[in-house]
Amino acid sequence: MMKLFLSSYQIGNAPEKLLELVGKNKRVALIMNAADPYGDERRPEYCEKFKTEFRKLGLYAEELDLRDFFDSKLDLKLQLSSYGLIWASGGNTFSLLWAMRKSGFDEIGTELIRSGLVTYGGFSAGACVLSPTLRGTDLVDNPKKVPEAELSWEGLGLVDFCIAPHYRSKHPESNAMEDVVAYYEANKIKYQALRDGEAIRMLQGRIEKVGLPNP
């Protein structure tokens, strides 16, 4: 049974709800490939920041760079099976999805998640990538960050709704998110809008919104 924690920004304001999903295995696979288009210069800094936040919760994160598995999908399965939580950070949703498909995460990772053997969490792009479609996401994220011939508009489809993060929040993308929500409504696409601080938790098929929005 899937265990999901999909946040608007960072871990959000209900970290205890995330901890309830994680079992005895406190190891976290930190996937930061949504940030690939922006270069690696500040990647170590952000990675260490995420590690620090997880350590405060008693979780121990290490980066799992999907680019290392583009030609070695069997190794990815062995790696992913050793974690209790997979956490995907924000950035460009199209880039994250592209890396997931190139590495085989779209099949290997989703199989582990669907089985409930590992918890999946993420924020912004890391949450949006689970949607059935990325249509509308292009109003915020540039799809040209991935090779045109390999661009996919279908998300991983682990949830049956799209996610609009940073909705009416103090975030640079908040204004553009109004257009995304308008697109979903005009095209009758099922969605969940999240303000920064909020998250969606799924356990045993039950979906609940947790965390108070930031002031």
Coordinates of all heavy atoms in Angstrom, one line a residue, residues 12-95:
G12 N 7.7 21.1 5.0 CA 6.4 21.6 5.4 C 6.3 21.7 6.9 O 7.2 21.5 7.6
N13 N 5.1 22.0 7.3 CA 4.8 22.3 8.7 C 4.2 21.1 9.5 O 3.7 21.3 10.6 CB 3.9 23.5 8.9 CG 4.6 24.8 8.4 OD1 5.8 24.9 8.4 ND2 3.8 25.8 8.0
A14 N 4.3 19.9 9.0 CA 3.8 18.8 9.7 C 4.8 17.6 9.5 O 4.4 16.5 9.0 CB 2.4 18.4 9.2
P15 N 6.1 17.8 9.9 CA 7.0 16.7 9.7 C 6.7 15.5 10.5 O 7.1 14.4 10.1 CB 8.3 17.4 10.3 CG 7.9 18.5 11.2 CD 6.6 19.0 10.6
E16 N 6.0 15.6 11.6 CA 5.6 14.4 12.3 C 4.7 13.5 11.5 O 4.7 12.3 11.7 CB 4.9 14.8 13.6 CG 3.5 15.3 13.5 CD 3.4 16.8 13.1 OE1 4.5 17.4 12.9 OE2 2.3 17.3 12.9
K17 N 3.9 14.1 10.6 CA 3.1 13.2 9.7 C 3.9 12.5 8.7 O 3.5 11.4 8.3 CB 2.1 14.1 9.0 CG 1.1 14.8 9.9 CD 0.2 13.8 10.6 CE -0.9 14.5 11.4 NZ -1.8 13.5 12.1
L18 N 5.1 13.0 8.3 CA 6.0 12.3 7.5 C 6.6 11.1 8.2 O 6.7 10.0 7.7 CB 7.1 13.2 6.9 CG 8.3 12.6 6.2 CD1 7.8 11.8 4.9 CD2 9.3 13.6 5.8
L19 N 7.0 11.4 9.5 CA 7.7 10.4 10.3 C 6.8 9.2 10.5 O 7.3 8.0 10.6 CB 8.2 11.0 11.6 CG 9.3 11.9 11.5 CD1 9.6 12.5 12.9 CD2 10.6 11.2 11.0
E20 N 5.5 9.4 10.6 CA 4.6 8.3 10.8 C 4.5 7.4 9.6 O 4.1 6.2 9.8 CB 3.2 8.9 11.0 CG 3.0 9.6 12.4 CD 1.6 10.3 12.5 OE1 0.8 10.2 11.6 OE2 1.4 10.9 13.5
L21 N 5.0 7.8 8.5 CA 5.0 7.0 7.3 C 6.2 6.1 7.2 O 6.2 5.1 6.5 CB 4.8 7.8 6.0 CG 3.5 8.6 5.9 CD1 3.6 9.4 4.6 CD2 2.3 7.7 5.9
V22 N 7.3 6.6 7.8 CA 8.6 5.9 7.7 C 8.7 4.9 8.7 O 8.5 5.1 9.9 CB 9.7 6.9 7.8 CG1 11.1 6.3 7.6 CG2 9.6 8.1 6.8
G23 N 9.1 3.7 8.3 CA 9.3 2.6 9.3 C 10.6 2.6 10.0 O 11.2 3.7 10.3
K24 N 11.1 1.4 10.3 CA 12.4 1.3 11.0 C 13.6 1.8 10.2 O 14.6 2.2 10.8 CB 12.6 -0.2 11.5 CG 11.5 -0.6 12.5 CD 11.8 -2.1 12.9 CE 10.7 -2.6 13.9 NZ 11.0 -4.0 14.3
N25 N 13.5 1.7 8.9 CA 14.6 2.1 8.1 C 14.6 3.6 7.9 O 13.8 4.2 7.3 CB 14.5 1.4 6.7 CG 15.7 1.7 5.8 OD1 16.5 2.6 6.1 ND2 15.8 0.8 4.8
K26 N 15.6 4.2 8.6 CA 15.6 5.7 8.6 C 16.5 6.3 7.5 O 16.8 7.5 7.5 CB 16.2 6.2 10.0 CG 15.4 5.6 11.2 CD 13.9 6.0 11.1 CE 13.2 5.5 12.4 NZ 11.7 5.8 12.3
R27 N 17.0 5.5 6.6 CA 17.8 6.0 5.5 C 17.0 6.6 4.4 O 15.9 6.1 4.1 CB 18.7 4.8 4.9 CG 19.7 4.2 5.8 CD 20.5 3.2 5.1 NE 21.4 3.8 4.1 CZ 21.6 3.3 2.9 NH1 21.0 2.2 2.5 NH2 22.4 4.0 2.0
V28 N 17.5 7.8 3.9 CA 16.7 8.6 3.0 C 17.5 8.7 1.7 O 18.7 9.1 1.7 CB 16.4 10.0 3.5 CG1 15.6 10.8 2.5 CG2 15.6 9.9 4.8
A29 N 16.9 8.4 0.6 CA 17.5 8.6 -0.7 C 17.1 10.0 -1.2 O 15.9 10.3 -1.5 CB 17.1 7.6 -1.8
L30 N 18.0 11.0 -1.3 CA 17.7 12.3 -1.6 C 17.9 12.5 -3.1 O 19.1 12.5 -3.6 CB 18.6 13.3 -0.8 CG 18.5 14.8 -1.1 CD1 17.0 15.2 -0.8 CD2 19.4 15.6 -0.2
I31 N 16.9 12.7 -3.9 CA 16.9 12.9 -5.3 C 16.8 14.3 -5.7 O 15.8 14.9 -5.4 CB 15.9 12.0 -6.0 CG1 16.1 10.5 -5.8 CG2 15.8 12.3 -7.5 CD1 15.1 9.6 -6.3
M32 N 17.8 14.9 -6.3 CA 17.9 16.3 -6.5 C 17.9 16.6 -8.0 O 18.3 17.7 -8.4 CB 19.1 17.0 -5.8 CG 19.0 16.8 -4.3 SD 20.4 17.5 -3.5 CE 20.2 19.2 -3.9
N33 N 17.5 15.7 -8.9 CA 17.7 15.9 -10.3 C 16.8 16.9 -10.9 O 16.9 17.3 -12.1 CB 17.5 14.5 -11.0 CG 18.6 13.6 -10.6 OD1 18.4 12.7 -9.7 ND2 19.8 13.7 -11.2
A34 N 15.8 17.4 -10.2 CA 15.0 18.5 -10.7 C 15.8 19.7 -10.8 O 15.5 20.7 -11.5 CB 13.8 18.7 -9.7
A35 N 16.9 19.8 -10.1 CA 17.8 20.9 -10.2 C 18.9 20.8 -11.2 O 19.8 21.7 -11.3 CB 18.4 21.2 -8.8
D36 N 19.0 19.7 -12.0 CA 20.1 19.5 -12.9 C 20.3 20.6 -13.9 O 21.4 21.0 -14.2 CB 19.8 18.2 -13.7 CG 20.0 16.9 -12.8 OD1 20.6 17.1 -11.7 OD2 19.6 15.8 -13.3
P37 N 19.2 21.3 -14.4 CA 19.4 22.3 -15.4 C 20.1 23.6 -14.9 O 20.6 24.4 -15.7 CB 18.0 22.7 -15.9 CG 17.1 21.6 -15.4 CD 17.8 21.0 -14.2
Y38 N 20.2 23.7 -13.6 CA 20.8 24.9 -13.0 C 22.2 24.7 -12.6 O 22.8 25.6 -12.0 CB 19.9 25.3 -11.8 CG 18.4 25.3 -12.1 CD1 17.6 24.4 -11.5 CD2 17.9 26.1 -13.1 CE1 16.2 24.4 -11.8 CE2 16.6 26.1 -13.4 CZ 15.7 25.2 -12.7 OH 14.4 25.2 -13.0
G39 N 22.8 23.6 -12.9 CA 24.2 23.4 -12.7 C 24.5 22.8 -11.3 O 23.6 22.7 -10.4
D40 N 25.7 22.4 -11.1 CA 26.1 21.7 -9.8 C 26.8 22.5 -8.8 O 27.2 22.0 -7.7 CB 26.9 20.4 -10.1 CG 26.1 19.4 -10.9 OD1 24.9 19.4 -10.8 OD2 26.7 18.5 -11.6
E41 N 27.0 23.8 -9.1 CA 27.8 24.6 -8.2 C 27.3 24.7 -6.8 O 28.0 24.6 -5.8 CB 27.9 26.0 -8.8 CG 28.8 27.0 -8.0 CD 29.0 28.3 -8.6 OE1 28.5 28.5 -9.8 OE2 29.6 29.2 -8.0
R42 N 26.0 24.9 -6.7 CA 25.4 25.1 -5.3 C 24.7 23.8 -4.8 O 24.2 23.8 -3.8 CB 24.4 26.2 -5.3 CG 25.0 27.6 -5.7 CD 24.0 28.7 -5.4 NE 23.7 28.8 -4.0 CZ 22.8 29.7 -3.5 NH1 22.1 30.4 -4.3 NH2 22.6 29.7 -2.2
R43 N 24.9 22.7 -5.6 CA 24.2 21.4 -5.2 C 24.7 20.9 -3.9 O 23.9 20.5 -3.0 CB 24.5 20.4 -6.3 CG 23.5 19.2 -6.3 CD 23.9 18.2 -7.4 NE 23.0 17.2 -7.7 CZ 22.1 17.2 -8.7 NH1 22.1 18.3 -9.5 NH2 21.3 16.2 -8.9
P44 N 26.0 20.9 -3.6 CA 26.5 20.4 -2.3 C 25.9 21.2 -1.1 O 25.6 20.6 -0.1 CB 28.0 20.5 -2.4 CG 28.3 20.5 -3.8 CD 27.2 21.2 -4.5
E45 N 25.8 22.5 -1.3 CA 25.2 23.4 -0.3 C 23.8 23.0 0.0 O 23.4 22.9 1.2 CB 25.3 24.8 -0.7 CG 24.6 25.8 0.2 CD 24.6 27.2 -0.4 OE1 25.3 27.5 -1.3 OE2 23.8 28.0 0.1
Y46 N 23.0 22.9 -1.0 CA 21.6 22.5 -0.8 C 21.4 21.1 -0.3 O 20.6 20.8 0.6 CB 20.8 22.6 -2.2 CG 20.5 24.0 -2.6 CD1 21.0 24.5 -3.8 CD2 19.8 24.9 -1.8 CE1 20.7 25.8 -4.2 CE2 19.5 26.2 -2.1 CZ 20.0 26.7 -3.3 OH 19.8 28.0 -3.7
C47 N 22.3 20.2 -0.8 CA 22.2 18.8 -0.3 C 22.5 18.8 1.2 O 21.8 18.1 2.0 CB 23.2 18.0 -1.1 SG 23.1 16.2 -0.8
E48 N 23.5 19.5 1.7 CA 23.8 19.5 3.1 C 22.7 20.1 3.9 O 22.4 19.7 5.0 CB 25.1 20.3 3.3 CG 25.7 20.1 4.7 CD 25.9 18.7 5.1 OE1 26.4 17.9 4.3 OE2 25.6 18.3 6.3
K49 N 22.0 21.1 3.3 CA 20.9 21.7 4.0 C 19.8 20.7 4.2 O 19.2 20.6 5.3 CB 20.4 22.9 3.2 CG 19.1 23.6 3.8 CD 18.6 24.7 2.9 CE 17.4 25.3 3.4 NZ 16.9 26.4 2.6
F50 N 19.5 19.9 3.2 CA 18.4 18.9 3.3 C 18.8 17.9 4.3 O 18.0 17.4 5.1 CB 18.2 18.3 2.0 CG 17.6 19.2 0.9 CD1 18.0 19.2 -0.4 CD2 16.6 20.1 1.3 CE1 17.4 20.0 -1.3 CE2 16.0 21.0 0.4 CZ 16.4 20.9 -1.0
K51 N 20.1 17.4 4.3 CA 20.6 16.4 5.2 C 20.4 16.9 6.7 O 20.0 16.1 7.5 CB 22.0 16.1 5.0 CG 22.3 15.3 3.7 CD 23.8 15.1 3.5 CE 24.1 14.3 2.3 NZ 25.6 14.1 2.1
T52 N 20.7 18.2 6.9 CA 20.6 18.7 8.3 C 19.1 18.7 8.7 O 18.8 18.3 9.9 CB 21.1 20.2 8.3 OG1 22.5 20.2 7.9 CG2 20.9 20.8 9.7
E53 N 18.2 19.1 7.8 CA 16.8 19.1 8.2 C 16.3 17.6 8.5 O 15.5 17.4 9.5 CB 15.9 19.7 7.1 CG 16.2 21.2 6.9 CD 15.9 22.0 8.1 OE1 14.8 21.7 8.8 OE2 16.7 22.8 8.5
F54 N 16.8 16.7 7.8 CA 16.3 15.3 8.0 C 17.0 14.8 9.3 O 16.3 14.0 10.0 CB 16.7 14.4 6.8 CG 15.7 14.5 5.7 CD1 16.1 14.9 4.4 CD2 14.4 14.1 5.9 CE1 15.2 15.0 3.4 CE2 13.5 14.2 4.8 CZ 13.9 14.7 3.6
R55 N 18.2 15.2 9.6 CA 18.8 14.7 10.8 C 18.1 15.2 12.0 O 18.0 14.5 13.1 CB 20.3 15.2 10.9 CG 21.3 14.3 10.1 CD 22.7 14.6 10.6 NE 23.1 16.0 10.3 CZ 23.7 16.4 9.1 NH1 24.0 15.5 8.2 NH2 24.1 17.6 9.0
K56 N 17.5 16.3 12.0 CA 16.7 16.9 13.1 C 15.5 15.9 13.4 O 14.9 15.9 14.5 CB 16.2 18.3 12.8 CG 17.3 19.3 12.7 CD 16.7 20.7 12.3 CE 17.8 21.7 12.2 NZ 17.2 23.0 11.7
L57 N 15.1 15.2 12.3 CA 13.9 14.3 12.5 C 14.4 12.9 12.8 O 13.5 12.0 12.8 CB 13.1 14.3 11.2 CG 12.5 15.7 10.8 CD1 11.8 15.5 9.4 CD2 11.6 16.2 11.8
G58 N 15.7 12.7 12.9 CA 16.1 11.3 13.2 C 16.3 10.5 11.9 O 16.3 9.2 12.0
L59 N 16.3 11.1 10.7 CA 16.5 10.5 9.4 C 17.8 10.8 8.9 O 18.4 11.9 9.1 CB 15.4 10.9 8.5 CG 13.9 10.7 9.0 CD1 12.9 11.3 8.0 CD2 13.7 9.2 9.1
Y60 N 18.4 9.9 8.1 CA 19.8 10.1 7.6 C 19.8 10.0 6.1 O 19.6 8.9 5.5 CB 20.6 9.0 8.2 CG 20.6 9.0 9.7 CD1 19.7 8.2 10.4 CD2 21.3 10.0 10.5 CE1 19.5 8.3 11.8 CE2 21.2 10.1 11.8 CZ 20.3 9.2 12.5 OH 20.1 9.3 13.9
A61 N 20.0 11.2 5.5 CA 19.8 11.3 4.0 C 21.2 11.3 3.3 O 22.2 11.8 3.9 CB 19.1 12.6 3.7
E62 N 21.2 10.8 2.1 CA 22.4 10.9 1.2 C 21.8 11.0 -0.2 O 20.8 10.5 -0.5 CB 23.2 9.6 1.3 CG 22.5 8.3 1.0 CD 23.3 7.1 1.3 OE1 24.1 7.1 2.3 OE2 23.2 6.1 0.5
E63 N 22.6 11.8 -1.0 CA 22.1 12.1 -2.3 C 22.2 10.8 -3.2 O 23.2 10.1 -3.2 CB 22.9 13.2 -3.0 CG 22.4 13.5 -4.4 CD 23.1 14.6 -5.1 OE1 24.1 15.1 -4.6 OE2 22.7 14.9 -6.2
L64 N 21.2 10.6 -3.9 CA 21.1 9.5 -4.9 C 20.9 10.2 -6.3 O 19.8 10.6 -6.6 CB 20.0 8.5 -4.6 CG 19.9 7.3 -5.6 CD1 21.1 6.3 -5.3 CD2 18.6 6.6 -5.4
D65 N 22.0 10.4 -7.0 CA 22.0 11.1 -8.3 C 21.5 10.1 -9.4 O 22.3 9.2 -9.7 CB 23.3 11.7 -8.6 CG 23.3 12.7 -9.7 OD1 22.4 12.6 -10.6 OD2 24.2 13.5 -9.8
L66 N 20.4 10.3 -10.0 CA 19.9 9.4 -11.0 C 20.7 9.4 -12.2 O 20.7 8.4 -13.0 CB 18.4 9.8 -11.3 CG 17.4 9.6 -10.2 CD1 16.0 10.0 -10.7 CD2 17.3 8.2 -9.7
R67 N 21.5 10.4 -12.4 CA 22.4 10.4 -13.6 C 23.4 9.3 -13.5 O 24.0 8.9 -14.6 CB 23.1 11.8 -13.7 CG 22.1 12.9 -14.0 CD 22.8 14.3 -14.0 NE 23.3 14.6 -12.7 CZ 23.9 15.8 -12.4 NH1 24.0 16.7 -13.3 NH2 24.3 16.0 -11.1
D68 N 23.7 8.8 -12.3 CA 24.7 7.8 -12.2 C 24.1 6.4 -12.6 O 24.9 5.4 -12.7 CB 25.1 7.7 -10.7 CG 25.9 8.9 -10.2 OD1 26.5 9.6 -11.1 OD2 25.9 9.1 -9.0
F69 N 22.8 6.3 -12.9 CA 22.2 5.1 -13.2 C 21.6 5.0 -14.6 O 20.8 4.1 -14.9 CB 21.1 4.8 -12.1 CG 21.6 4.7 -10.7 CD1 21.7 5.8 -9.9 CD2 22.1 3.5 -10.2 CE1 22.2 5.8 -8.6 CE2 22.6 3.4 -8.9 CZ 22.7 4.5 -8.1
F70 N 21.9 6.0 -15.4 CA 21.4 6.0 -16.7 C 21.7 4.7 -17.5 O 20.9 4.3 -18.4 CB 21.9 7.2 -17.5 CG 21.2 8.5 -17.1 CD1 20.2 8.6 -16.1 CD2 21.5 9.7 -17.7 CE1 19.6 9.7 -15.8 CE2 20.9 10.9 -17.4 CZ 19.9 10.9 -16.4
D71 N 22.8 4.1 -17.2 CA 23.2 2.9 -18.0 C 23.3 1.7 -17.1 O 23.9 0.7 -17.4 CB 24.5 3.1 -18.7 CG 24.5 4.2 -19.7 OD1 23.5 4.3 -20.5 OD2 25.4 5.1 -19.6
S72 N 22.7 1.8 -15.9 CA 22.8 0.7 -14.9 C 21.6 0.5 -14.1 O 21.6 0.8 -12.9 CB 24.1 0.9 -14.0 OG 24.3 -0.2 -13.2
K73 N 20.5 0.1 -14.7 CA 19.2 0.1 -14.0 C 19.2 -1.0 -12.9 O 18.5 -0.8 -11.9 CB 18.1 -0.1 -15.0 CG 17.9 1.0 -16.0 CD 16.8 0.8 -17.0 CE 16.7 1.9 -18.0 NZ 15.6 1.7 -18.9
L74 N 19.9 -2.0 -13.0 CA 19.9 -3.1 -12.0 C 20.5 -2.5 -10.7 O 20.0 -2.8 -9.6 CB 20.7 -4.3 -12.5 CG 20.9 -5.4 -11.5 CD1 19.5 -6.0 -11.1 CD2 21.7 -6.5 -12.0
D75 N 21.6 -1.7 -10.8 CA 22.2 -1.1 -9.6 C 21.2 -0.2 -8.9 O 21.2 -0.1 -7.7 CB 23.4 -0.3 -10.0 CG 24.6 -1.3 -10.4 OD1 24.5 -2.5 -10.1 OD2 25.5 -0.8 -11.0
L76 N 20.3 0.5 -9.7 CA 19.4 1.4 -9.1 C 18.4 0.6 -8.3 O 18.0 1.1 -7.2 CB 18.6 2.2 -10.2 CG 17.5 3.1 -9.7 CD1 18.1 4.2 -8.8 CD2 16.8 3.7 -10.9
K77 N 18.0 -0.5 -8.7 CA 17.0 -1.3 -7.9 C 17.6 -1.7 -6.6 O 17.0 -1.6 -5.6 CB 16.6 -2.5 -8.7 CG 15.5 -3.4 -8.0 CD 15.0 -4.5 -8.9 CE 13.9 -5.2 -8.2 NZ 13.3 -6.3 -9.0
L78 N 18.9 -2.1 -6.6 CA 19.6 -2.5 -5.4 C 19.7 -1.3 -4.4 O 19.5 -1.5 -3.2 CB 21.0 -3.1 -5.7 CG 21.0 -4.4 -6.5 CD1 22.4 -4.8 -6.9 CD2 20.4 -5.5 -5.6
Q79 N 20.0 -0.2 -5.0 CA 20.1 1.0 -4.2 C 18.8 1.4 -3.6 O 18.7 1.7 -2.3 CB 20.7 2.2 -5.0 CG 22.2 2.1 -5.3 CD 23.0 2.4 -4.1 OE1 22.7 3.1 -3.2 NE2 24.2 1.7 -4.0
L80 N 17.8 1.6 -4.4 CA 16.5 2.0 -3.9 C 15.9 1.1 -2.8 O 15.3 1.6 -1.9 CB 15.5 2.2 -5.0 CG 15.7 3.3 -6.0 CD1 14.7 3.2 -7.1 CD2 15.7 4.7 -5.3
S81 N 16.2 -0.2 -2.9 CA 15.7 -1.2 -2.0 C 16.3 -1.0 -0.6 O 15.8 -1.6 0.4 CB 15.9 -2.6 -2.5 OG 15.2 -2.8 -3.7
S82 N 17.4 -0.3 -0.5 CA 18.1 -0.1 0.8 C 17.6 1.1 1.6 O 18.1 1.3 2.7 CB 19.6 0.0 0.6 OG 19.9 1.2 -0.1
Y83 N 16.6 1.8 1.1 CA 16.2 3.0 1.8 C 14.7 2.9 2.3 O 14.0 2.1 1.8 CB 16.2 4.2 0.8 CG 17.5 4.6 0.3 CD1 18.0 4.3 -0.9 CD2 18.4 5.4 1.2 CE1 19.2 4.6 -1.4 CE2 19.6 5.7 0.7 CZ 20.1 5.4 -0.5 OH 21.3 5.7 -1.0
G84 N 14.5 3.6 3.4 CA 13.1 3.6 3.9 C 12.3 4.8 3.3 O 11.1 4.7 3.4
L85 N 13.0 5.8 2.8 CA 12.3 7.0 2.3 C 13.0 7.5 1.1 O 14.2 7.6 1.1 CB 12.2 8.1 3.3 CG 11.7 9.5 2.9 CD1 10.3 9.4 2.4 CD2 11.9 10.5 4.0
I86 N 12.3 7.7 0.0 CA 12.8 8.4 -1.2 C 12.2 9.8 -1.1 O 11.0 10.0 -1.0 CB 12.3 7.7 -2.5 CG1 12.9 6.3 -2.5 CG2 12.8 8.5 -3.7 CD1 12.3 5.4 -3.7
W87 N 13.1 10.8 -1.2 CA 12.7 12.2 -1.2 C 13.2 12.9 -2.4 O 14.4 13.0 -2.6 CB 13.2 12.8 0.1 CG 12.7 14.3 0.3 CD1 13.3 15.4 -0.2 CD2 11.5 14.7 0.8 NE1 12.6 16.5 0.1 CE2 11.4 16.1 0.7 CE3 10.4 14.0 1.5 CZ2 10.4 16.8 1.2 CZ3 9.4 14.8 1.9 CH2 9.3 16.2 1.8
A88 N 12.3 13.5 -3.2 CA 12.7 14.2 -4.4 C 12.4 15.7 -4.1 O 11.3 16.1 -3.8 CB 11.9 13.8 -5.6
S89 N 13.5 16.5 -4.4 CA 13.4 18.0 -4.1 C 12.8 18.7 -5.3 O 12.5 18.1 -6.4 CB 14.8 18.5 -3.8 OG 15.6 18.4 -4.9
G90 N 12.6 20.0 -5.1 CA 12.0 20.9 -6.1 C 13.0 21.3 -7.2 O 14.2 21.0 -7.2
G91 N 12.5 22.0 -8.2 CA 13.2 22.4 -9.4 C 12.4 22.4 -10.6 O 11.2 22.8 -10.6
N92 N 12.9 21.8 -11.7 CA 12.2 21.7 -12.9 C 11.5 20.3 -13.0 O 12.2 19.2 -13.0 CB 13.1 21.9 -14.1 CG 12.4 21.9 -15.4 OD1 11.9 20.9 -15.9 ND2 12.3 23.1 -16.0
T93 N 10.2 20.2 -13.1 CA 9.5 18.9 -13.1 C 9.9 18.1 -14.3 O 10.0 16.9 -14.2 CB 8.0 19.2 -13.0 OG1 7.7 20.1 -12.0 CG2 7.2 17.9 -12.8
F94 N 10.0 18.7 -15.4 CA 10.3 18.0 -16.7 C 11.7 17.3 -16.6 O 11.9 16.2 -17.1 CB 10.2 18.9 -17.9 CG 8.9 19.4 -18.1 CD1 8.4 20.7 -17.7 CD2 7.9 18.7 -18.9 CE1 7.2 21.1 -17.9 CE2 6.7 19.1 -19.1 CZ 6.3 20.4 -18.6
S95 N 12.7 18.1 -16.0 CA 14.0 17.5 -15.8 C 14.0 16.3 -14.9 O 14.7 15.3 -15.1 CB 15.0 18.6 -15.3 OG 15.1 19.6 -16.2

